Amino acid sequence: MKSNIEAFLDLVKERNGHEPEFLQAVEEVAETVIPYIVEHDIYYGKNILLRMVEPERVISFRVCWVDDAGEIQVNRGYRIQMNSAIGPYKGGLRFHPTVNMSILKFLAFEQVFKNSLTTLPMGGGKGGSDFDPKGKSDNEIMRFCHAFMSELFRHIGPNTDIPAGDIGVGAREIGFLFGMYKKLRNEFTGVLTGKGMSWGGSLIRPEATGYGNVYFAEKMLETKNNSFKGKDVVISGSGNVAQYAAEKVLQIGGKVLTLSDSSGYIYDADGIDAEKLAFVMELKNVKRGRISEYLESYPNAKFVKGKTPWEVKCDIALPCATQNELNEEDANMLLKNGCICVSEGANMPSTKEAITAFHKAKILFAPGKASNAGGVATSGLEMTQNSLRYKWSREEVDNKLKDIMADIHKSCLEYGKDDDGYVDYVKGANIAGFVKVADAMLAQGVV
Ligand code: NDP
C-alpha cells in the first residue's frame, strides 16, 4: 500500500514540485483515498486520482488598473477550473498578496471534495489575485474589481463557472465584480454568489460558513453526548468566517475567548459577548480596522502581538483565518490544555503534523472540506433560488444548511470509522467526497 501512495506522490511531486500547499493537500487525500481505491476494483487501475489532481483548465491573466495617485498598477489574476464531473465549477475568489498558483490549486482541489460532500451538483474551482485590498480606497477596490472581471467574464457563466468570495473578497467586491459582468454580458444571471440581498443574494449566505462550522462541531460533540454549552471556545481570524462562527457559538451557550488577524490575537477573559462582537463586525467590515483596536473599547482584554491564539486554554478550537496557521506545537499546546474538539472554519489551517497529533490523542477533529462546506452549500442554494427566480426565508435556508451539515457529518461517519470506533473525519470526508466525483468521471469516460 505504502508503495502505491509513494509512487503516486512521487509523480505528483515531479510535476508540481514548486507548489508546496498543493502537494500538502494532495498528500492528505492520497493517504486516505488510495487504500480505498486499491480495495475497490471499480476504481483501481483507472488513474482516477491522477486525473483528479490535474486541473481541467488553468487561466492566468494580467490585471491593469489605475490607483488614486494616477499610477498604473499591474496584478496577476487566476482561475483554476479543477473538476466539472458533477456540476459547473464553483469556488471562491481570493484577493491577497500571497496568492499564487500553489495556493489556488490547493484550494481548488479541496473544493472538488467539499462540493461533492454538500450533496449539491457543483464541480470545483478557485481563483483570485495577488492584489492586496488592505489600505485601498473604495474607488481603488472598484477599479481593480472591474479590471479583474473585464478578463474573467469570458471564462465564467451561470452554467460554466460560478465564483464566490474568499479572503479579501466580501460583499463589496462581489458587487463590483457582478456590476462589470452584467455590463459586459448584458444579462442578469446568477454568475456569482454572495450577492447583495436586493439583487439575487441568499439570506444566510454571509453567515453560512461560520454557522455551518459550528453546526458540524455540534454534531461531532453529540457523538460524545456533549455540546457547546458552558464551553470555552478559542477562534482565530476576525473576518467573515470567524465573526459568524463566534455569533453561533454565543447563541448556543459557548463562551468566545479570542479573535485574531494577521497582526496578533485578542484574549478577553470575560468573553466576547454579542455587544462586543457587534463592535468587532463594525470595526472589521465598515471601518476596516485592526483587531488590536478592540482594546480601545474593552481595555480589560489583552492583545498578543504576532501570535496565534492556540496557547489560550480552551475546550474547543475553531481555526477560521488561513492555511497552516496551527502547527504541531500549537496542537500539542491545545491538547495539553484539555481541548476536546477542533473544527476547521478555514481551508487547511492545521498542518499535517498537527492533524497527526489530534488523531493520536483521539480528540474530535474536523477538516475544513467537511466543516466549512456550509458556505459553498449555501452558495448552491443561492444558485437554485436564482434559477427559480425565487427567495427562501431566513429560516428555510438555515434549516437547509443545518440538514446539509448533518448529512456531511453522516457521510464522514460512514467512511471514517476506524476499527476501534474512533471517527477519522479526514478519511471520512476524503473518501465520501471522492466516491461521488469518481463515479461521475467513470460514467463520463476518459475526457
Ligand atoms: P476574510 O478576508 O473575511 O477574513 C480573513 C481573516 O483571516 C482576517 O481576520 C485576516 O486577517 C486573517 N488572515 C488572513 N491571512 C492571514 C495570515 N496569513 N495570517 C493570519 N491571519 C490571516 O476571509 P474569510 O473569513 O472569508 O476566510 C477565512 C478562511 O475561511 C479562509 O481560509 C477561507 O478560504 C475559508 N473559507 C471561507 C469561506 C467563505 O464563505 N468566506 C468558505 C469556506 C472557507 P487580516 O485582516 O490581518 O488579513
Side-chain angles (χ1 to χ4, degrees), residues 233-237 257-261 264-267 304 306-314 316-321 325-326 330 333-334 337:
V233 183
V234 161
I235 300 180
S236 66
L257 296 178
T258 67
L259 288 170
S260 72
D261 61 22
Y265 74 89
I266 51 148
Y267 170 46
V304 183
K307 294 198 82 176
T308 47
W310 317 122
E311 58 195 11
V312 173
K313 185 170 164 35
C314 66
I316 298 166
L318 306 177
C320 297
E325 53 162 320
L326 197 166
D330 301 322
M333 182 68 87
L334 284 168
N337 284 335

Side-chain angles (χ1 to χ4, degrees), residues 174-434:
I174 292 290
F176 294 144
L177 291 164
F178 184 78
M180 183 51 87
Y181 180 89
K182 183 166 67 66
K183 182 183 168 79
L184 294 173
R185 286 271 191 211
N186 193 27
E187 58 182 33
F188 195 112
T189 55
V191 68
L192 289 157
T193 57
K195 299 187 289 299
M197 294 308 144
S198 59
W199 41 281
S202 173
L203 289 160
I204 298 287
R205 176 61 190 92
E207 294 90 338
T209 310
Y211 278 19
N213 184 26
V214 177
Y215 294 151
F216 193 91
E218 249 187 327
K219 282 279 157 211
M220 292 201 292
L221 288 163
E222 264 174 43
T223 66
K224 306 273 177 204
N225 295 317
N226 216 332
S227 76
F228 269 90
K229 237 189 167 69
K231 297 290 189 305
D232 285 340
V233 183
V234 161
I235 300 180
S236 66
S238 51
N240 172 268
V241 181
Q243 290 172 15
Y244 287 105
E247 184 169 282
K248 187 49 73 180
V249 168
L250 295 179
Q251 286 171 8
I252 58 175
K255 184 176 179 185
V256 177
L257 296 178
T258 67
L259 288 170
S260 72
D261 61 22
S262 51
S263 13
Y265 74 89
I266 51 148
Y267 170 46
D268 189 335
D270 301 329
I272 300 166
D273 61 17
E275 183 207 308
K276 293 171 181 173
L277 183 59
F279 168 86
V280 171
M281 288 184 175
E282 167 88 10
L283 173 70
K284 298 302 281 188
N285 308 345
V286 183
K287 297 184 180 147
R288 303 199 183 264
R290 308 303 298 156
I291 199 68
S292 54
E293 292 169 51
Y294 181 91
L295 268 67
E296 290 167 19
S297 294
Y298 305 104
N300 283 344
K302 237 172 48 174
F303 174 65
V304 183
K305 199 173 162 191
K307 294 198 82 176
T308 47
W310 317 122
E311 58 195 11
V312 173
K313 185 170 164 35
C314 66
D315 303 300
I316 298 166
L318 306 177
C320 297
T322 192
Q323 65 274 357
N324 292 329
E325 53 162 320
L326 197 166
N327 62 26
E328 186 178 16
E329 200 184 319
D330 301 322
N332 287 332
M333 182 68 87
L334 284 168
L335 292 168
K336 193 175 124 221
N337 284 335
C339 178
I340 55 166
C341 173
V342 178
S343 193
E344 296 186 338
N347 285 310
M348 209 168 73
S350 311
T351 62
K352 188 173 184 255
E353 296 75 21
I355 297 173
T356 304
F358 294 140
H359 280 163
K360 243 190 185 155
K362 298 211 179 285
I363 67 160
L364 298 167
F365 171 75
K369 62 169 79 73
S371 46
N372 74 28
V376 73
T378 309
S379 277
L381 300 176
E382 182 172 329
M383 287 159 65
T384 307
Q385 292 170 85
N386 291 163
S387 303
L388 295 170
R389 303 214 185 280
Y390 192 69
K391 202 169 173 86
W392 290 318
S393 70
R394 203 179 153 80
E395 200 185 13
E396 279 172 304
V397 182
D398 198 23
N399 284 336
K400 288 181 202 299
L401 169 64
K402 271 188 201 145
D403 288 348
I404 290 171
M405 297 317 293
D407 281 346
I408 297 174
H409 184 263
K410 218 158 88 197
S411 301
C412 290
L413 294 190
E414 185 184 341
Y415 290 100
K417 244 193 192 137
D418 287 342
D419 294 340
D420 63 357
Y422 175 68
V423 182
D424 179 340
Y425 286 88
V426 175
K427 183 169 87 180
N430 286 342
I431 298 176
F434 166 82

Side-chain angles (χ1 to χ4, degrees), residues 24-44:
Q24 184 183 342
V26 171
E27 197 171 333
E28 185 212 276
V29 166
E31 281 173 359
T32 47
V33 166
I34 290 181
Y36 184 82
I37 293 176
V38 170
E39 282 164 15
H40 292 80
D41 285 349
I42 53 162
Y43 305 120
Y44 192 69

